[in-house]
Amino acid sequence: MGAKNSLAGLTVVEIRDGLRNGDFTVGELVDDHIHAAERAKNLNGYITETPDLAKDMASKSDDKISRQELGSLEGVPVAVKDLFCTKGIRTTAASKILDNFVPTYESRVTENLWGAGAVLMGKANMDEFAMGSSNITSAYGPAINPWKRESDGDDLAPGGSSGGSAALVSAGVVPVAIGTDTGGSIRQPAAFCGVVGVKPTYGRCSRWGTIAFASSLDQAGPITRSVHDAAIVLEAMSGHDRRDTTSVDRPVPQFEKFLSQSIKGLKVGIPKEYLSDSLPTEINKLWGDGGQWFKESGAELVDISLPHTKYALPSYYIVAPAEASSNLARYDGVKYGMRVSDKSLEQQYSKTRGSGFGPEVKRRIMIGTYVLSAGYYDAYYIHAQKVRRLILEDFNSAFKKVDIILTPTTPNESFGLRDKLDDPVAMYLNDIFTVPASMAGLPAISVPCGLSGTGLPLGLQLIGPAFEESRLFQFGEKLERAAEFSKQPSSYVG
Amino acid sequence: MDLDKETVASVAKLCRIEIQEQDLTPMAQELSNILSWIEQLREVDVSSCEPLSSVVEAELKMRDDTVMDGDLAEDVVGNAPDSTNNYFLVPKVIE
């Protein structure tokens, strides 16, 4: 239940206007968001809350405002996925193995946010090491989707891996949460929770200080309640960083400027490979509605083909675990994190990792180790990297004909937290529509566009050419406006 | 692709993850299921293409060869389970 006159529930744009007009102080804003978090405890959205730090940051922000020094995110309360290193604040990656890890440095993305005036409210729950699509792999118990089916009161998955981030934004606990997306980890939970999620182009945001899962795929991005807010936050997060050689040195556009641009005469690609017999009718219908809304705004729909779409997910499940097995080798009970002591160093490594990692993380390290091992490297890893090129070339050809691509974000609505536990492959299929853009490094946005028959949110995805996030916002704003998605979840506390 | 128990045990050894004897068979089954699903990639003709390792076509930049930071030994060992005099401590490895 929302509290009367609470400032929680305001959007970034509303906060910006309110602070400029002197309607409230950052101190008041932050207090209301601290109280909102107390009302939403049952969602388990945070692993660590930082109310004292938030009050401290708020008071500094109010000082800045009194001097007329407003950053682009001045005073905006933000939840940060617990995968970003925050100096002096415990950062767990939702893993037992990092339960006591307190970084001595700040990630570049969060540094950018604080530089723009944002206020840290806490570290959001997630799947362990960002591996999962439901939040059930978190060592701290899953975050819970603020939405419920109309027919029952069962706890539903917020999606993953940035499930805590999406749940907190959806419930009105924060206007902004930062997530990471490797194969869909921002877009899928955003769709499940009825909020906006953006995965920028690979290289747009620095990965420095973000705990690595699959380095050639990982990207940070915003989760917000509006397309406009996402544009403001992404601009603040982005930018070149010499400490990450894959971060790209090119100007960051003023994304906000593109929101109002017309899409008249522009071409929207509809890829036939995303249509399957198993796609629920209501999702197919919503996808059709999305195309119709674009037509009504003056855009043209173009049928396109991305022939290697079905191979994106299986090749992802070679590339991502391979990189993960290498990245997670560092958790050895020597440099940081937990240790299970043994008199043999070899045994100490194995026992530490055997007890510190959860089942899904172990599974992926095992697959990664197997596909990289002698005799299998070419057959699996190199083969998957070649398929990855074909996926990229599919998109390159498509973007010669169209300006943007429209698809559903997920092949299904959210599911019960107890479902799908037994079959890893069934869980992996959640990302079937989000993984292709990840493999090609392309920017994509999920916009909430409607409700399923059971009353749960459904999202549509827009995929743009590399470094054309501007187009995501330009088209995303039209989608948002036409869909008029305004329903709030039953656990809304703003 | 079917993995047997012995293969799973040897992969577990390679990545230094202790797996209990009774868990090897179920894990072999799980990993086999995943790998069988991945096998569909064999249908794809990749004979004419190069592997893609980076989606960003950026040139690596040169930078000045200067110290960016340093003297952070205490920070570096700050999270170590066991350390002394800014060294990481591990069990004796040489008899």
Side-chain angles (χ1 to χ4, degrees):
Chain A
M1 276 290 119
K4 216 179 162 199
N5 299 326
S6 170
L7 298 169
L10 295 184
T11 64
V12 175
V13 174
E14 288 164 345
I15 289 170
R16 192 169 66 180
D17 293 346
L19 288 173
R20 274 184 193 156
N21 295 338
D23 296 341
F24 46 81
T25 65
V26 180
E28 290 163 348
L29 181 71
V30 162
D31 280 347
D32 280 1
H33 283 86
I34 292 170
H35 294 137
E38 285 162 5
R39 294 194 294 277
K41 279 268 189 243
N42 61 320
L43 298 178
N44 200 25
Y46 284 116
I47 290 175
T48 304
E49 287 175 59
T50 55
D52 295 337
L53 175 72
K55 286 179 184 172
D56 190 41
M57 290 175 92
S59 129
K60 286 183 180 136
S61 204
D62 278 324
D63 287 347
K64 277 170 73 189
I65 292 171
S66 67
R67 299 192 301 269
Q68 306 286 318
E69 294 168 13
L70 274 78
S72 67
L73 291 176
E74 199 61 56
V76 174
V78 173
V80 172
K81 186 179 188 177
D82 208 16
L83 198 64
F84 293 87
C85 287
T86 40
K87 190 173 180 174
I89 298 158
R90 184 173 80 133
T91 299
T92 67
S95 181
K96 218 168 103 184
I97 211 161
L98 280 179
D99 184 55
N100 57 1
F101 178 58
V102 179
T104 52
Y105 51 88
E106 187 77 24
S107 85
R108 179 55 186 257
V109 159
T110 49
E111 201 173 83
N112 288 351
L113 292 171
W114 318 142
V119 173
L120 176 65
M121 302 304 294
K123 304 296 293 290
N125 203 351
M126 54 181 281
D127 280 297
E128 183 181 5
F129 283 104
M131 298 178 192
S133 306
S134 65
N135 247 249
I136 56 165
T137 75
S138 170
Y140 302 90
I144 292 169
N145 195 326
W147 292 80
K148 305 261 187 248
R149 289 184 201 109
E150 278 160 9
S151 53
D152 60 43
D154 289 359
D155 283 343
L156 303 179
S161 64
S162 312
S165 297
L168 289 168
V169 173
S170 166
V173 179
V174 278
V176 176
I178 305 304
T180 61
D181 191 313
T182 303
S185 281
I186 287 174
R187 292 161 285 163
Q188 186 255 16
F192 276 15
C193 294
V195 291
V196 174
V198 180
K199 181 200 92 77
T201 312
Y202 183 81
R204 180 63 90 186
C205 293
S206 167
R207 292 181 295 107
W208 198 86
T210 310
I211 294 174
F213 159 18
S215 303
S216 78
L217 295 153
D218 298 343
Q219 264 296 291
I223 295 177
T224 58
R225 285 192 294 273
S226 79
V227 174
H228 191 160
D229 282 4
I232 297 171
V233 181
L234 181 62
E235 188 180 326
M237 294 167 63
S238 299
H240 176 62
D241 178 4
R242 67 175 184 159
R243 294 169 301 184
D244 172 8
T245 52
T246 63
S247 92
V248 172
D249 191 4
R250 52 160 80 204
V252 179
Q254 279 183 287
F255 294 127
E256 256 188 290
K257 287 204 302 202
F258 294 86
L259 294 160
S260 57
Q261 283 195 4
S262 160
I263 58 167
K264 215 169 188 167
L266 298 182
K267 295 190 171 78
V268 178
I270 308 291
K272 64 177 182 197
E273 289 79 8
Y274 282 63
L275 180 61
S276 75
D277 294 340
S278 57
L279 188 66
T281 322
E282 59 191 9
I283 293 182
N284 192 21
K285 183 185 172 299
L286 185 72
W287 188 18
D289 289 346
Q292 188 57 36
W293 295 330
F294 280 140
K295 265 166 78 174
E296 285 161 13
S297 297
E300 184 191 333
L301 301 187
V302 179
D303 288 324
I304 57 166
S305 173
L306 300 166
H308 297 92
T309 297
K310 73 176 267 210
Y311 302 110
L313 198 59
S315 54
Y316 172 86
Y317 273 96
I318 293 177
V319 172
E323 295 182 12
S325 72
S326 170
N327 274 326
L328 273 64
R330 72 191 69 181
Y331 306 105
D332 57 2
V334 174
K335 301 182 289 296
Y336 31 65
M338 66 169 270
R339 166 185 289 189
V340 177
S341 295
D342 193 280
K343 58 184 191 308
S344 140
L345 182 59
E346 283 280 317
Q347 287 297 314
Q348 182 171 293
Y349 289 149
S350 297
K351 286 182 175 169
T352 298
R353 292 163 62 80
S355 101
F357 291 134
E360 181 61 24
V361 172
K362 283 185 202 169
R363 205 176 280 139
R364 295 204 197 183
I365 294 175
M366 294 282 288
I367 291 174
T369 304
Y370 180 72
V371 300
L372 290 176
S373 63
Y376 296 101
Y377 182 77
D378 286 344
Y380 283 106
Y381 190 64
I382 297 294
H383 188 84
Q385 283 192 318
K386 289 179 175 177
V387 174
R388 189 173 180 187
R389 182 172 299 281
L390 294 173
I391 294 161
L392 176 66
E393 286 172 357
D394 281 357
F395 279 109
N396 288 345
S397 317
F399 283 123
K400 286 183 184 138
K401 292 181 224 142
V402 299
D403 299 289
I404 204 148
I405 294 171
L406 174 70
T407 78
T409 308
T410 58
N412 46 260
E413 63 188 40
S414 174
F415 43 82
L417 272 167
R418 280 165 205 83
D419 304 348
K420 299 200 190 197
L421 284 176
D422 306 335
D423 183 2
V425 174
M427 186 63 88
Y428 299 167
L429 290 171
N430 263 285
D431 293 334
I432 193 158
F433 295 153
T434 48
V435 152
S438 300
M439 290 296 271
L442 301 175
I445 187 171
S446 178
V447 179
C449 284
L451 291 177
S452 71
T454 57
L456 297 180
L458 296 171
L460 290 176
Q461 173 181 238
L462 294 165
I463 305 170
F467 298 105
E468 293 290 344
E469 287 87 356
S470 308
R471 262 184 237 176
L472 303 180
F473 298 121
Q474 181 185 2
F475 282 83
E477 193 267 347
K478 310 299 174 288
L479 210 49
E480 180 180 55
R481 185 185 294 265
E484 294 182 313
F485 184 90
S486 59
K487 196 162 182 279
Q488 286 167 341
S490 52
S491 303
Y492 189 78
V493 298
Chain B
M1 187 73 203
D2 274 343
L3 293 192
D4 54 26
K5 213 172 113 177
E6 289 68 33
T7 311
V8 172
S10 80
V11 172
K13 187 165 191 310
L14 281 175
C15 60
R16 305 291 187 272
I17 289 179
E18 183 181 70
I19 295 176
Q20 302 302 327
E21 173 68 25
Q22 71 271 18
D23 296 332
L24 287 172
T25 304
M27 187 161 234
Q29 188 55 50
E30 260 175 23
L31 298 183
S32 298
N33 288 347
I34 296 168
L35 290 167
S36 308
W37 168 72
I38 287 173
E39 282 299 312
Q40 57 179 300
L41 289 177
R42 301 276 158 252
E43 304 160 21
V44 189
D45 177 9
V46 293
S47 51
S48 61
C49 80
E50 288 294 309
L52 178 71
S53 53
S54 170
V55 288
V56 179
E57 290 169 25
E59 265 180 52
L60 287 181
K61 291 186 161 196
M62 302 298 281
R63 62 168 170 82
D64 293 338
D65 185 15
T66 53
V67 176
M68 290 163 74
D69 57 20
D71 275 337
L72 296 167
E74 281 173 22
D75 277 1
V76 171
V77 299
N79 276 285
D82 199 3
S83 71
T84 187
N85 298 328
N86 292 338
Y87 287 98
F88 294 113
L89 285 188
V90 295
K92 194 171 175 183
V93 285
I94 301 166
E95 290 301 331

